[in-house]
Amino acid sequence: MKGKKALRLGGAAAVLVALTTACGTAGTANNASNTAGAGTEEKKIEIFSWWTGAGEADGLNALIKLFQQKDPGVQVQNSAVAGGAGTNAKQVLATRMQAGNPPDTFQVHAGAELMAWVDAGKMEPLNDLYQSQGWNDKFPQQLIDMVSKDGNIYAVPVDIHRGNVLWYNKKIFDQYHLQPPTTFDIFFKDADILKQHGITPLGLGDKDTWEATMLWEDVLLGTVGPQKYDQIWQGKVSWDDPGIRQSLETFKKMLQYVNSDHAALDWQDGSQLVATGKAAMNVMGDWAKGYYTTDLKLKPNVDFGWCVTPGTEGDFMVISDTFGLPKGAPHPNTVLDWLKVLGSTEGQDVFNPLKGSIPARIDADPSKYDVYSQQAMADFKKDQLTPSLAHGSAASPGFLDAVNTAMKVFVTNQDIDQFISALKTAAQENNLGQ
Ligand code: GAL
């Protein structure tokens, strides 16, 4: 069993936009106990996220329902902006933050994505809240580190998603006696058999591009291993490294096995191809499991199977959704009440079974989770943890944007040299690893 490895953050996060307007402050720093119960504030909250899809919206709605039970009379404005992985929401958020018009609270990934707002001075510290709720030893230390800077904690993690999962259609795999592709050799062997039988081997929906970036980051991890994968985002590995090139060769080869309409489909469409048997496999974070079980009512190990993406046994690509308190939030007291629910075991156990994720808290109740999530919980405790680039943890929003732009081109022209050169420029322009 490998020792659990600390997740490292990406370098100094560059903010996407030039933040010029100074927002008012929401109470004092470390303000959990100071402002809660102040009494003058309207019981209202605007919750901003991108959870509109099946499975995703169910999880959010369950949390909101619990919040309203705990806080009767509170008015909730659900300002979710459609588009997986925040494709559209992040832009809307940036515009609002720039205009000094933040939502009360917003979804943000632990790691570099959150730190971009922290570095811009846009977030309130939540140390008092953690203290008052006794949370300091209820979340894994590595996760607290991902939402902290200089001793201040800036967000409450609601989930842990795993990014390196390959889902497969169980009936198809049984029918052709295929092995779960935990290595690239098995993957291509399976893929060739499937192709011979006229079945699309790998379902992909990369309309929003991050889906392709995510597939590549999983291939990269499976090719170079967790140490080098980490070092890449710290700017310590040359972009001419043979492992990076190899990962692109493998990724390019995989693209020969995907559905021809992938550019027109989003992540859910891609996952659905496996559910309906139109494709045999799909690589997607485990929000796909939320979609399968919560929305499509599929059964794990009966309708769909899963394994880690090729070459990543013992590695866990971590994606954690968090919420915080932006400076200038109109209803800071209500936000603190919301965050209390979000960080409670009850909140986490209401949300995560629907969402496909596992609880971020270490003391949540495993019996509330299905066989997939119980395995993910066990793996999370022992695996090497690696931060996702596609979901904002590994590097700054500016770098990720540049990679996504280059990826859109790569998926079409599959020119490895051109992609590597775009990576070099993106790293330089965004001070990767600094
Ligand atoms: C991720 C997010 C997940 C899920 C997914 C697809 O970035 O962390 O919670 O929402 O996008 O939308």
Side-chain angles (χ1 to χ4, degrees):
M1 185 168 89
K2 284 177 192 170
K4 191 167 170 175
K5 182 168 175 286
L7 261 177
R8 284 196 213 89
L9 302 181
V15 193
L16 266 173
V17 289
L19 296 159
T20 47
T21 318
C23 302
T25 54
T28 56
N30 292 334
N31 60 1
S33 42
N34 301 351
T35 53
T40 49
E41 183 184 302
E42 223 185 331
K43 277 253 162 218
K44 227 177 168 179
I45 186 169
E46 183 191 3
I47 301 169
F48 186 92
S49 77
W50 58 84
W51 288 332
T52 59
E56 302 184 309
D58 298 275
L60 177 61
N61 289 337
L63 257 183
I64 291 175
K65 197 171 152 204
L66 178 67
F67 177 47
Q68 286 175 322
Q69 275 164 16
K70 303 257 169 221
D71 229 328
V74 66
Q75 289 175 55
V76 176
Q77 184 185 335
N78 180 354
S79 294
V81 175
T87 303
N88 308 313
K90 286 181 188 174
Q91 203 47 54
V92 174
L93 178 69
T95 306
R96 289 188 56 173
M97 295 289 272
Q98 189 174 17
N101 173 31
D104 285 306
T105 188
F106 60 87
Q107 175 189 1
V108 59
H109 290 122
E113 193 178 304
L114 169 66
M115 286 310 140
W117 295 120
V118 171
D119 290 346
K122 296 290 174 190
M123 304 302 288
E124 294 285 358
L126 299 169
N127 298 34
D128 284 359
L129 177 68
Y130 270 69
Q131 193 73 39
S132 70
Q133 301 303 298
W135 285 346
N136 287 306
D137 59 356
K138 295 296 183 292
F139 293 97
Q141 190 54 49
Q142 287 99 329
L143 190 56
I144 293 189
D145 291 345
M146 286 179 77
V147 294
S148 301
K149 182 142 196 197
D150 301 333
N152 285 323
I153 311 176
Y154 288 98
V156 181
V158 66
D159 64 27
I160 300 287
H161 273 298
R162 187 173 203 172
N164 57 322
V165 194
L166 184 146
W167 309 95
Y168 57 87
N169 181 296
K170 192 88 170 66
K171 290 188 190 83
I172 296 176
F173 262 58
D174 287 350
Q175 185 179 352
Y176 297 107
H177 308 289
L178 303 177
Q179 246 183 295
T182 48
T183 67
F184 290 113
D185 283 351
I186 304 173
F187 175 86
F188 288 114
K189 211 170 134 216
D190 288 349
D192 283 331
I193 295 169
L194 289 159
K195 210 169 183 176
Q196 278 158 24
H197 288 91
I199 298 164
T200 300
L202 185 62
L204 176 67
D206 64 345
K207 182 167 155 264
D208 297 319
T209 313
W210 63 267
E211 302 92 335
T213 301
M214 185 171 180
L215 177 56
W216 172 58
E217 81 181 4
D218 283 333
V219 173
L220 181 64
L221 175 62
T223 307
V224 302
Q227 277 80 17
K228 193 181 265 186
Y229 174 88
D230 262 6
Q231 287 164 355
I232 290 171
W233 313 129
Q234 293 159 26
K236 290 183 183 156
V237 178
S238 156
W239 294 107
D240 294 313
D241 182 89
I244 295 178
R245 184 169 286 274
Q246 178 58 51
S247 75
L248 287 164
E249 296 284 2
T250 306
F251 175 53
K252 181 172 168 176
K253 192 170 165 197
M254 278 180 160
L255 292 176
Q256 292 168 18
Y257 294 89
V258 304
N259 42 300
S260 55
D261 59 350
H262 61 91
L265 308 183
D266 65 15
W267 75 263
Q268 267 160 334
D269 300 323
S271 302
Q272 195 181 40
L273 293 175
V274 170
T276 54
K278 290 195 179 123
M281 303 181 266
N282 171 244
V283 169
M284 189 42 60
D286 51 16
W287 44 90
K289 204 260 328 192
Y291 171 48
Y292 286 161
T293 56
T294 304
D295 188 58
L296 301 181
K297 311 287 178 215
L298 302 184
K299 299 234 168 337
N301 270 340
V302 177
D303 301 310
F304 65 92
W306 65 90
C307 62
V308 293
T309 51
T312 67
E313 195 80 63
D315 305 329
F316 195 114
M317 188 76 83
V318 181
I319 296 150
S320 179
D321 296 299
T322 76
F323 286 78
L325 173 60
K327 286 189 178 161
H331 308 98
N333 297 320
T334 315
V335 174
L336 293 173
D337 289 343
W338 158 252
L339 295 177
K340 281 176 198 162
V341 174
L342 204 101
S344 67
T345 31
E346 203 183 347
Q348 305 236 324
D349 287 340
V350 152
F351 175 80
N352 288 297
L354 296 169
K355 184 68 167 53
S357 37
I358 60 171
R361 283 182 72 119
I362 53 180
D363 58 349
D365 180 357
S367 73
K368 296 212 158 71
Y369 294 82
D370 67 14
V371 52
Y372 165 80
S373 296
Q374 287 182 1
Q375 189 189 324
M377 283 181 196
D379 288 351
F380 182 68
K381 285 197 183 118
K382 65 177 170 54
D383 280 1
Q384 305 259 338
L385 307 182
T386 54
S388 165
L389 170 71
H391 297 280
S393 295
S396 71
F399 179 76
L400 172 57
D401 260 9
V403 172
N404 279 334
T405 302
M407 180 56 76
K408 207 176 174 66
V409 178
F410 181 75
V411 170
T412 312
N413 73 5
Q414 301 187 11
D415 183 333
I416 293 179
D417 289 328
Q418 189 182 330
F419 187 71
I420 290 179
S421 139
L423 288 173
K424 287 179 186 168
T425 310
Q428 267 166 14
E429 287 179 355
N430 293 283
N431 301 318
L432 188 80
Q434 282 165 40

